Every structure is written in C-alpha cells, then in structure tokens.
Amino acid sequence: ARIKAAISGGGRRAAVLGGGTMGLEAADGLIRSGAEVTVIERQARFLFQFGARVAAAARRSIEQRARILTRTTVESFETQAGRITALRLSSGERIETDLVLSVIGLVPRTDLLQAAGAGLANDGTMIVDERAKTSLPNVYACGVCVSAPQVITGRPVWWAQGALADKTAQVAGANAAGGSARLSPALGSVLVRVLDTTVGRTGL
C-alpha cells in the first residue's frame, strides 16, 4: 500500500536493490505501475539463480522498460527530510530516486537452534527430515530457514521460497501436534513473470 501511495503521489523513479527472483518481481510490478526502474545487482549476472540463457532472455525482456546494472553496489545514500533521494554507486555514478526497494535476499537466522545443538547445513540452514524434524528430540522446524530434501539427490537443499516455507510449516505443525504428515521432496520449481516473458527453472 505504501509503495502504491508513493507512486500515485508522483514518485516515478524507483531503484530495486537485488536482481534475483524477488527483485525481478518487484521491478515487474513497479514498471506495470508506471515507474522508471533501475535494478542494481552486485553479482556479474542478473537473475543469477537461473541458467545463463534463461537469465539472458529475462534481461532482454526487462531492459526494454528498465535499466539493469550488474557488478554494482550502493556505496551510500543521500537523504532529505528523512527520505532517500539519491544513491551513490560503486561505479561512481549518482542516481536520483523517489523510492528504494531492498530485495537483496535472505540469510538464515538459525542461531537459537544451533546454540541448542541442532545440526545445520554448511549454509547455516536447518536440516529437517521428511517429518520436518530436526536432529533435536521433539523439535520441528519450518519456514525459509529450512533445507528440505531434493527429489533427485535426496540431499537437503535450501530454496527460500514461500511455497516451500508453507509446506514445511504444515508438516511441522501437524507432527508437533502428534500427527504423521510427510514432506514431499522438493524440486525447487520457480516461475517468474518478466513483463511479456515468463521464465522458469526446476530440478538440478
């Protein structure tokens, strides 16, 4: 609601920090709302979670209506009356903006369970079995900090997706209450709309 209010109030210039799937969805929505969008990504490639050819197709589509900057970070912000008015980039460029969306991804916050002795994956996510159970007795875990078994390899993989978070929550909640729900292995399927193009990925 606040984003819509900012745009309808005349805030036409928007900067999206992060060129992953969430950043792409944010950029798509802003463009459709009439904003002038700049996407800033520190990685060498836009939509880096996807294969190079698919990411290139998505970039070609969105670059018709937005500016994409890769290998770039924000060094500092300029503010006026408590609002960000401009960004200073690592390239030395200064970009004036009316709106900034930070969608730079997630870092798993599993410190509490780690301190309790639960086993974590190398990326810091919580490993659960098909019942969403951790390595601790009678402790279940769910949400975007959980690594779930991958359908092809059977190994735990982390995908910070709302759908997987919901599934782990349903299974963890049912089993914590005495049920016998099972979590199906995940494929990690993602579909993202990029203006007139839709891109997707699944599996390995």
Side-chain angles (χ1 to χ4, degrees), residues 36-168:
E36 300 172 11
V37 177
T38 300
V39 180
I40 302 166
E41 170 56 51
R42 70 175 183 175
Q43 302 280 348
R45 188 155 60 79
F46 173 74
L47 208 62
F48 58 88
Q49 308 98 323
F50 284 61
R53 292 176 66 186
V54 175
R59 180 166 183 158
R60 284 194 300 272
S61 178
I62 203 166
E63 275 187 326
Q64 298 175 31
R65 304 269 299 277
R67 186 179 180 205
I68 309 295
L69 301 176
T70 53
R71 299 182 190 271
T72 305
T73 58
V74 176
E75 296 291 303
S76 63
F77 299 91
E78 293 180 19
T79 61
Q80 187 175 25
R83 297 180 64 89
I84 296 173
T85 56
L87 309 176
R88 290 279 183 182
L89 306 181
S90 56
S91 62
E93 184 180 357
R94 177 181 179 273
I95 294 179
E96 293 185 355
T97 187
D98 302 306
L99 183 66
V100 178
L101 273 71
S102 179
V103 281
I104 55 177
L106 302 172
V107 175
R109 296 178 63 184
T110 52
D111 298 349
L112 179 64
L113 285 171
Q114 183 179 26
L120 301 182
N122 291 334
D123 57 12
T125 56
M126 182 60 51
I127 298 175
V128 297
D129 64 13
E130 63 176 6
R131 301 188 69 238
K133 193 172 185 297
T134 70
S135 60
L136 297 173
N138 303 313
V139 176
Y140 299 85
C142 59
V144 293
C145 292
V146 165
S147 284
Q150 208 274 347
V151 70
I152 298 171
T153 66
R155 298 173 184 160
V157 177
W158 183 38
W159 287 298
Q161 297 176 354
L164 187 56
D166 288 345
K167 289 177 184 177
T168 57

